[in-house]
Amino acid sequence: MAIKTSLGRKLFIACNYIFLALLSFICLMPIIHILAISFSSGTAAAAGKVTLWPVEFTTAAYNNVFGKPEYLRAFWVSVQRVVLGTTLSMFLTILTAYPLSKEPRQFRLRTFYAWFFVFTILFSGGLIPTFLTIKSLNLIDSIWALILPTAVPVFNVILLLNFYRNLPKELEESSRIDGAGHFTTLWKIYVPLSLPALATTGLFTMVGHWNSWFDGMLYMNHTENYPLQTFLQTVIIKMDFRFIKAENAELMLKLSDRTSRAAQIFVAAFPILVVYPFLQKLFIKGIVMGSVKG
């Protein structure tokens, strides 16, 4: 027998949907506004005529962005950083979280190493010692200077080890009875079962590498080695007409500093906007299960 929904319940659900729809629209408004500016003419953007829809539609800003070899090179550096950094970070995070998830009777120094890693969250060596370390390792102007200092994110390790602790102990015990060692147990049982937590930590790592700009400015002496966010931080402050051919006067008339900035910002944010929706369900499940120890 179907249960009838009361009028008050229907009104509550309707108000909920309306409120969430408005909240979502408010969150999307800045992105839509940036996108509209990037597809508008320079005069319309400079006059403040653009709101949520392009005015005098043109792709001149994107033609300018993708015509800049400096921008494309910085984009490629960021892609390399995300791929290499996320792969290395996830590998080291898994190897670190697995032994730290064991009981002290299984791993006697587990508490010592756990506090050792937590200590690094509370206290760091400082900016100058870190720079001197990178310099002494000859990593200046190398992509590894952007990857190695954050290769083991302790927050992700804590999230993953708590997830491992919530897995049934019988799984490991049965695998040990069958003769499996720790590496077999980790890669064939723990890792496949921890995909939600891995998606969460992987997303954190990807976004962190993609959005980071200060380390690129700190460790890179040549602008051709800048990642994308560092390039945007240093170049996007003002319109640069050096990369526009003198004979292309029509393009220069359609461009302004606002349209060029909007196009570059949107292109920089687009990869994260594409990846996040596919990982959202795993992200929510992973952060909930990994943040509470059962």
Side-chain angles (χ1 to χ4, degrees), residues 237-258:
I237 297 174
K238 60 181 180 179
M239 183 63 179
D240 192 350
F241 288 104
R242 292 178 302 164
F243 308 110
I244 304 176
K245 295 181 180 179
E247 62 271 15
N248 199 345
E250 183 181 355
L251 178 61
M252 295 178 67
L253 291 174
K254 293 180 180 179
L255 284 174
S256 73
D257 57 343
R258 293 194 67 191

Short mmCIF file of all heavy atoms in Angstrom, two decimals, residues 237-258:
data_model
loop_
_atom_site.label_atom_id
_atom_site.label_comp_id
_atom_site.label_asym_id
_atom_site.label_seq_id
_atom_site.Cartn_x
_atom_site.Cartn_y
_atom_site.Cartn_z
N ILE A 237 48.53 39.50 -15.30
CA ILE A 237 48.26 40.76 -14.61
C ILE A 237 47.99 41.88 -15.61
O ILE A 237 47.17 42.75 -15.40
CB ILE A 237 49.44 41.13 -13.69
CG1 ILE A 237 49.58 40.06 -12.60
CG2 ILE A 237 49.24 42.50 -13.07
CD1 ILE A 237 50.79 40.24 -11.73
N LYS A 238 48.65 41.84 -16.73
CA LYS A 238 48.40 42.87 -17.74
C LYS A 238 48.41 42.22 -19.11
O LYS A 238 49.05 41.21 -19.33
CB LYS A 238 49.45 43.97 -17.69
CG LYS A 238 50.88 43.50 -17.92
CD LYS A 238 51.85 44.67 -17.82
CE LYS A 238 53.28 44.21 -18.05
NZ LYS A 238 54.24 45.34 -17.97
N MET A 239 47.70 42.83 -20.03
CA MET A 239 47.60 42.31 -21.39
C MET A 239 48.96 42.42 -22.07
O MET A 239 49.63 43.44 -21.97
CB MET A 239 46.55 43.13 -22.17
CG MET A 239 46.31 42.64 -23.56
SD MET A 239 45.65 40.97 -23.58
CE MET A 239 45.46 40.73 -25.33
N ASP A 240 49.37 41.35 -22.73
CA ASP A 240 50.68 41.32 -23.39
C ASP A 240 50.46 41.20 -24.89
O ASP A 240 50.05 40.15 -25.38
CB ASP A 240 51.48 40.12 -22.87
CG ASP A 240 52.94 40.21 -23.28
OD1 ASP A 240 53.26 41.07 -24.11
OD2 ASP A 240 53.74 39.41 -22.78
N PHE A 241 50.71 42.28 -25.62
CA PHE A 241 50.49 42.29 -27.07
C PHE A 241 51.73 41.85 -27.85
O PHE A 241 51.73 41.89 -29.07
CB PHE A 241 50.08 43.70 -27.53
CG PHE A 241 48.69 44.08 -27.12
CD1 PHE A 241 48.48 44.96 -26.06
CD2 PHE A 241 47.59 43.55 -27.76
CE1 PHE A 241 47.20 45.31 -25.68
CE2 PHE A 241 46.31 43.90 -27.39
CZ PHE A 241 46.12 44.77 -26.33
N ARG A 242 52.78 41.41 -27.15
CA ARG A 242 53.97 41.00 -27.87
C ARG A 242 53.73 39.75 -28.71
O ARG A 242 54.42 39.51 -29.69
CB ARG A 242 55.11 40.72 -26.88
CG ARG A 242 55.64 41.95 -26.17
CD ARG A 242 56.72 41.55 -25.20
NE ARG A 242 56.21 40.58 -24.24
CZ ARG A 242 57.00 39.83 -23.48
NH1 ARG A 242 58.31 39.92 -23.58
NH2 ARG A 242 56.46 38.98 -22.62
N PHE A 243 52.74 38.95 -28.30
CA PHE A 243 52.50 37.68 -28.98
C PHE A 243 51.42 37.80 -30.05
O PHE A 243 50.97 36.81 -30.59
CB PHE A 243 52.11 36.62 -27.94
CG PHE A 243 53.09 36.52 -26.82
CD1 PHE A 243 52.74 36.97 -25.55
CD2 PHE A 243 54.36 36.04 -27.02
CE1 PHE A 243 53.65 36.90 -24.51
CE2 PHE A 243 55.27 35.96 -25.98
CZ PHE A 243 54.91 36.40 -24.73
N ILE A 244 50.96 39.04 -30.31
CA ILE A 244 50.00 39.26 -31.38
C ILE A 244 50.72 39.89 -32.57
O ILE A 244 51.42 40.88 -32.41
CB ILE A 244 48.86 40.20 -30.90
CG1 ILE A 244 48.19 39.63 -29.65
CG2 ILE A 244 47.85 40.42 -32.00
CD1 ILE A 244 47.13 40.53 -29.06
N LYS A 245 50.55 39.31 -33.71
CA LYS A 245 51.22 39.82 -34.90
C LYS A 245 50.73 41.22 -35.23
O LYS A 245 49.55 41.52 -35.12
CB LYS A 245 50.97 38.87 -36.08
CG LYS A 245 51.58 37.49 -35.88
CD LYS A 245 51.32 36.60 -37.08
CE LYS A 245 51.94 35.22 -36.87
NZ LYS A 245 51.68 34.33 -38.01
N ALA A 246 51.66 42.06 -35.66
CA ALA A 246 51.33 43.46 -35.91
C ALA A 246 50.29 43.61 -37.01
O ALA A 246 49.45 44.52 -36.96
CB ALA A 246 52.60 44.23 -36.28
N GLU A 247 50.32 42.70 -37.99
CA GLU A 247 49.38 42.84 -39.10
C GLU A 247 47.97 42.40 -38.73
O GLU A 247 47.02 42.63 -39.48
CB GLU A 247 49.87 42.05 -40.31
CG GLU A 247 50.01 40.53 -40.10
CD GLU A 247 51.38 40.15 -39.57
OE1 GLU A 247 52.10 41.06 -39.11
OE2 GLU A 247 51.72 38.95 -39.62
N ASN A 248 47.83 41.72 -37.59
CA ASN A 248 46.51 41.23 -37.21
C ASN A 248 45.79 42.27 -36.36
O ASN A 248 45.52 42.10 -35.18
CB ASN A 248 46.65 39.91 -36.42
CG ASN A 248 45.35 39.13 -36.41
OD1 ASN A 248 44.29 39.65 -36.73
ND2 ASN A 248 45.46 37.87 -36.03
N ALA A 249 45.48 43.41 -36.97
CA ALA A 249 44.87 44.51 -36.24
C ALA A 249 43.45 44.18 -35.79
O ALA A 249 43.00 44.63 -34.74
CB ALA A 249 44.84 45.76 -37.13
N GLU A 250 42.75 43.37 -36.59
CA GLU A 250 41.37 43.03 -36.23
C GLU A 250 41.32 42.26 -34.91
O GLU A 250 40.45 42.50 -34.07
CB GLU A 250 40.75 42.20 -37.35
CG GLU A 250 39.28 41.84 -37.09
CD GLU A 250 38.71 41.01 -38.22
OE1 GLU A 250 39.42 40.79 -39.22
OE2 GLU A 250 37.54 40.59 -38.08
N LEU A 251 42.26 41.35 -34.73
CA LEU A 251 42.31 40.58 -33.49
C LEU A 251 42.59 41.49 -32.31
O LEU A 251 42.00 41.35 -31.24
CB LEU A 251 43.39 39.50 -33.59
CG LEU A 251 43.60 38.62 -32.34
CD1 LEU A 251 42.34 37.86 -31.99
CD2 LEU A 251 44.76 37.67 -32.55
N MET A 252 43.48 42.46 -32.48
CA MET A 252 43.83 43.38 -31.39
C MET A 252 42.63 44.22 -30.99
O MET A 252 42.45 44.55 -29.81
CB MET A 252 44.99 44.27 -31.82
CG MET A 252 46.30 43.52 -32.06
SD MET A 252 47.65 44.59 -32.61
CE MET A 252 47.90 45.57 -31.13
N LEU A 253 41.77 44.57 -31.96
CA LEU A 253 40.60 45.37 -31.65
C LEU A 253 39.57 44.56 -30.86
O LEU A 253 38.82 45.12 -30.05
CB LEU A 253 39.97 45.91 -32.94
CG LEU A 253 40.78 46.96 -33.69
CD1 LEU A 253 40.12 47.29 -35.02
CD2 LEU A 253 40.95 48.22 -32.83
N LYS A 254 39.51 43.27 -31.10
CA LYS A 254 38.53 42.43 -30.42
C LYS A 254 38.98 42.02 -29.02
O LYS A 254 38.18 41.51 -28.24
CB LYS A 254 38.25 41.17 -31.26
CG LYS A 254 37.54 41.45 -32.57
CD LYS A 254 37.31 40.16 -33.33
CE LYS A 254 36.60 40.43 -34.66
NZ LYS A 254 36.37 39.19 -35.43
N LEU A 255 40.25 42.19 -28.73
CA LEU A 255 40.79 41.75 -27.45
C LEU A 255 40.84 42.90 -26.44
O LEU A 255 40.89 44.06 -26.80
CB LEU A 255 42.21 41.20 -27.63
CG LEU A 255 42.33 39.81 -28.25
CD1 LEU A 255 43.79 39.49 -28.48
CD2 LEU A 255 41.70 38.75 -27.36
N SER A 256 40.79 42.52 -25.17
CA SER A 256 41.06 43.43 -24.07
C SER A 256 41.68 42.62 -22.96
O SER A 256 41.75 41.39 -23.03
CB SER A 256 39.76 44.10 -23.58
OG SER A 256 38.96 43.18 -22.87
N ASP A 257 42.15 43.30 -21.93
CA ASP A 257 42.76 42.56 -20.84
C ASP A 257 41.75 41.64 -20.16
O ASP A 257 42.07 40.54 -19.73
CB ASP A 257 43.37 43.53 -19.82
CG ASP A 257 42.35 44.51 -19.27
OD1 ASP A 257 41.28 44.66 -19.89
OD2 ASP A 257 42.63 45.12 -18.22
N ARG A 258 40.48 42.05 -20.07
CA ARG A 258 39.46 41.24 -19.40
C ARG A 258 39.14 39.98 -20.19
O ARG A 258 39.03 38.89 -19.62
CB ARG A 258 38.18 42.06 -19.20
CG ARG A 258 38.32 43.21 -18.22
CD ARG A 258 36.96 43.73 -17.81
NE ARG A 258 36.22 42.73 -17.04
CZ ARG A 258 34.94 42.84 -16.73
NH1 ARG A 258 34.24 43.89 -17.15
NH2 ARG A 258 34.33 41.93 -16.02
#
